[in-house]
Amino acid sequence: MRVLPLLLAALAAVSAATLGGAALAEAWLPALLLLAQLAVGAIGILALGHLLGEAWLAPVRAPLEAAARTVPLVALLALPVLLGLAHLYPWAAGPPPEGPIRLLLQPWAFQARAAACLAVWAALGWGLARPGRHPRVAALALALLLPTTTLASFDWVLSRDITWYASLQGFSLWVEGLAAALAAAILAAPLLGRAPAESQGMPGLERALLTLGLAVLWLWFTQFIVVWMADRPEESAWYLRRLDDWGWVQLGLALPALLAAIALAAPPDHGRRRMAAVCWLLLVQHGAHLWWVVRPDAPVASPAPALDLAVAAGLGLLWGAGVRAAIARDPPAARASGHGSPPPATG
């Protein structure tokens, strides 16, 4: 990645960490998590494509590799959160929680785990975003992504309410990130002259989008049913808090978008326009659901919607500049004429 996007990200992060307050930190967190999930989701999709040797990876490989290379930029943008834990996590501002979890929820331990996860993701992104096919790196990536994303989800999302923990939450958010990253790559591919042909790549992308959409829906339903059957007050309170004042986000936006995406993706032979609609719906679903999971546990008053939008737009532009710089460093044309795409699956 070129130096300019990293310098801009560092400047923005240091400014937010030193001059911002609780409201800015609260607006920063969901935007940062969305970008992190797109980058890590791109690594996961690349790993699946490399490991299976699927033909559908070829047309979306360039944007996925560019997104995978943005983990260092995401690490810089994480500084306001890592330095402002007291604004975002009650355990960091007050007395440490009781019990064994006290050892985990210490600011220095949180920061060390975050640095370790970001370093692992950056190394995996670099290893997979190279010309050629890398099945061994892909296998290692899948083996490391599950525990690191689950740990990161507990730290960055669930620890805002330490009375409730769902073992499927981290995996669910990672699968959503896979769907969002693939959807974003499909939308970006035509801009790079790499749109999938009707006869090559398109059927595989259709099946991948449908599979990921159904997996997200199943994980949502499974988590809800498990909490309902367990009948534990602290777990029920987590859902009730979100279904009270924030129910419109999940029931009025995220769930309808996911169901519409699945309905559009189910019939075969999508065509370009229908596939684009499926991708946009998956991105809307992911952004809305992530906000629904993160925001209700804010320890301070929610920031103004204008601040949320401004921070999300600013971080999105910085991340987009990082993606563009990564593509400029290794243009798709060079890969198309060389050995950048794995061979189609056989047998």
Side-chain angles (χ1 to χ4, degrees):
M1 180 181 297
R2 294 182 176 177
V3 176
L4 182 59
L6 295 176
L7 290 177
L8 292 175
L11 179 62
V14 171
S15 300
T18 55
L19 304 177
L24 180 58
E26 187 61 44
W28 198 278
L29 180 62
L32 171 69
L33 292 176
L34 178 60
L35 299 182
Q37 287 196 306
L38 287 175
V40 177
I43 296 172
I45 294 294
L46 279 173
L48 290 171
H50 279 285
L51 190 63
L52 301 176
E54 292 289 350
W56 54 258
L57 179 62
V60 295
R61 181 169 179 175
L64 287 173
E65 289 179 344
R69 291 195 190 101
T70 61
V71 174
L73 186 146
V74 172
L76 289 174
L77 294 176
L79 288 176
V81 174
L82 296 177
L83 299 178
L85 295 178
H87 294 315
L88 298 168
Y89 301 93
W91 53 263
E98 299 295 332
I101 200 173
R102 180 185 184 127
L103 299 176
L104 292 176
L105 297 183
Q106 299 286 342
W108 65 267
F110 183 107
Q111 292 161 351
R113 291 193 299 272
C117 288
L118 288 166
V120 169
W121 298 337
L124 294 176
W126 175 84
L128 289 171
R130 295 175 297 149
R133 182 180 168 194
H134 312 288
R136 293 183 180 179
V137 179
L140 177 63
L142 293 176
L144 292 176
L145 282 174
L146 181 56
T148 54
T149 53
T150 300
L151 178 62
S153 295
F154 169 77
D155 278 347
W156 294 70
V157 179
L158 299 181
S159 72
R160 281 157 68 89
D161 178 6
I162 63 173
T163 64
W164 186 83
Y165 174 75
S167 59
L168 281 176
Q169 189 71 270
F171 181 68
S172 173
L173 290 174
W174 180 55
V175 173
E176 283 191 48
L178 293 177
L182 180 59
I186 292 172
L187 292 173
L191 302 177
L192 306 175
R194 300 287 288 164
E198 297 292 337
S199 59
Q200 183 178 8
M202 184 77 82
L205 290 173
E206 293 175 356
R207 292 192 296 269
L209 288 173
L210 177 59
T211 300
L212 290 170
L214 290 172
V216 170
L217 182 62
W218 179 82
L219 288 168
W220 282 7
F221 178 75
T222 301
Q223 289 180 87
F224 183 79
I225 289 298
V226 168
V227 170
W228 182 270
M229 294 179 65
D231 195 23
R232 296 180 61 183
E234 64 273 16
E235 295 181 348
S236 300
W238 190 90
Y239 274 101
L240 291 175
R241 188 163 59 250
R242 284 158 174 77
L243 294 176
D244 187 9
D245 296 332
W246 302 88
W248 65 272
V249 179
Q250 179 75 345
L251 301 179
L253 188 57
L255 183 59
L258 178 59
L259 293 177
I262 293 173
L264 284 176
D269 301 326
H270 287 26
R272 305 274 176 113
R273 292 184 179 179
R274 183 147 59 98
M275 178 173 282
V278 171
C279 292
W280 280 114
L281 287 168
L282 287 175
L283 288 172
V284 169
Q285 167 269 312
H286 181 52
H289 181 254
L290 182 64
W291 195 60
W292 180 79
V293 169
V294 174
R295 180 51 57 78
D297 287 328
V300 296
S302 297
L307 181 59
D308 266 325
L309 291 175
V311 171
L315 296 192
L317 288 174
L318 282 173
W319 188 76
V323 171
R324 183 175 180 179
I327 291 175
R329 177 183 174 182
D330 192 7
R335 290 189 178 277
S337 61
H339 48 277
S341 300
T346 57

